[in-house]
């Protein structure tokens, strides 16, 4: 039973690390960004509501995001733990998650902060814009997403730091190296890889 969060600015590599960690720890990776993107792609009602915020690089309103995550965490595969990528992003979302966890008599095991220099992430996202064509990877939107991160999400780092669950990881370096840093830091906290891990 492991419950993990990945937090960090856009471009720090959260999505990439989430997929690897989910596999290594045998957890479902839940990315609110991916869920919103698939709703936009499939032209759902939620997608229609979220799209303008996403294109502008703003956070989707907490009411929509919290409802989505409440439903997702209630699914069966989350009973034995989860890895959240990109949620919570605001103090209101922290409250929502706290309530959910308290209601289930559980707590987070670790909050992994991917630390990356803003100039480096802007450059990474410039590359991703070419590779993946994400509409919110336009440079002006990227700068705005970084501002939104700094004002709305960065304060969460202190919240989790104060609770003693924060694990700070240098996100610069090869993907494997960053994964190994995370795995080592979690091992120090007694969080072990799943048996079927390939590491
Ligand atoms: P991401 O893939 O995590 O970079 O998220 C892409 C976009 O989806 C963000 O810029 C927001 O517009 C939206 N989004 C993802 N997660 C959240 C969240 N927890 N709260 C609000 N908006 C979110």
């Amino acid at each position: 039973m492991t419950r993990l969060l990945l937090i960090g600015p856009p471009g720090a590599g959260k999505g990439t690390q989430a997929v690897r960690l989910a596999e290594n720890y045998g957890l479902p990776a839940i990315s609110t960004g991916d869920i919103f993107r698939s709703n936009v792609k499939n032209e759902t009602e939620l997608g229609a509501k979220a799209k303008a915020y996403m294109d502008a690089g703003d956070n989707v309103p907490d009411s929509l995001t919290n409802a989505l995550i409440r439903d997702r965490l209630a699914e069966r595969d989350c009973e034995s733990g989860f890895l959240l990528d990109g949620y919570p992003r605001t103090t209101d979302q922290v409250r929502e998650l706290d309530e959910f966890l308290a209601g289930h008599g559980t707590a987070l095991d670790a909050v992994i902060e991917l630390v990356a220099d803003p100039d480096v992430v802007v450059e990474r996202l410039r590359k991703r814009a070419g590779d993946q064509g994400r509409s919110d990877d336009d440079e002006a939107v990227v700068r705005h997403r970084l501002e939104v991160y700094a004002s709305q999400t960065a304060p969460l780092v202190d919240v989790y730091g104060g609770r003693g669950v924060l694990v700070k990881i240098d996100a610069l370096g090869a993907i494997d190296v960053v994964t190994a840093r995370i795995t080592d830091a979690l091992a120090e906290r007694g969080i072990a890889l799943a048996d079927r891990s390939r590491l």
Side-chain angles (χ1 to χ4, degrees):
M1 289 260 203
T2 308
R3 294 177 182 83
L4 303 173
L5 298 190
L6 260 177
I7 197 165
K14 293 189 300 298
T16 304
Q17 294 299 333
V19 171
R20 300 164 73 96
L21 295 171
E23 184 165 337
N24 292 339
Y25 290 89
L27 301 169
I30 302 171
S31 155
T32 40
D34 281 352
I35 297 173
F36 282 132
R37 273 186 291 281
S38 99
N39 275 274
V40 169
K41 192 162 162 234
N42 295 322
E43 300 183 343
T44 68
E45 203 177 314
L46 176 65
K49 287 181 185 157
K51 187 175 187 318
Y53 297 100
M54 296 173 74
D55 285 348
D58 284 316
N59 281 338
V60 175
D62 288 329
S63 54
L64 288 178
T65 312
N66 284 335
L68 174 154
I69 212 75
R70 217 178 296 135
D71 287 350
R72 182 62 188 87
L73 291 182
E75 282 178 37
R76 261 213 117 137
D77 62 337
C78 292
E79 278 172 15
S80 53
F82 51 75
L83 170 71
L84 282 174
D85 157 18
Y87 182 97
R89 252 177 161 90
T90 65
T91 48
D92 190 70
Q93 294 178 15
V94 171
R95 247 190 317 272
E96 174 77 21
L97 181 61
D98 284 345
E99 273 174 28
F100 176 89
L101 293 167
H104 289 75
T106 58
L108 294 171
D109 295 289
V111 174
I112 303 156
E113 183 198 3
L114 293 182
V115 181
D117 181 82
D119 287 338
V120 175
V121 301
V122 167
E123 189 48 41
R124 276 194 189 176
L125 291 172
R126 201 199 309 271
K127 270 197 69 200
R128 186 170 77 182
D131 297 345
Q132 295 181 9
R134 260 178 64 165
S135 56
D136 59 351
D137 279 344
D138 164 88
E139 187 164 347
V141 178
V142 163
R143 298 248 174 230
H144 182 63
R145 286 163 63 207
L146 283 167
E147 285 166 13
V148 170
Y149 179 81
S151 64
Q152 299 192 31
T153 308
L156 275 48
V157 169
D158 289 338
V159 171
Y160 288 119
R163 296 183 189 178
V165 287
L166 190 68
V167 177
K168 276 188 189 285
I169 301 291
D170 174 6
L172 300 186
I175 292 171
D176 280 343
V177 172
V178 176
T179 307
R181 283 181 197 142
I182 298 171
T183 309
D184 289 348
L186 293 180
E188 277 178 29
R189 302 180 68 91
I191 300 170
L193 295 166
D195 289 342
R196 59 190 178 80
S197 165
R198 290 179 304 158
L199 275 187

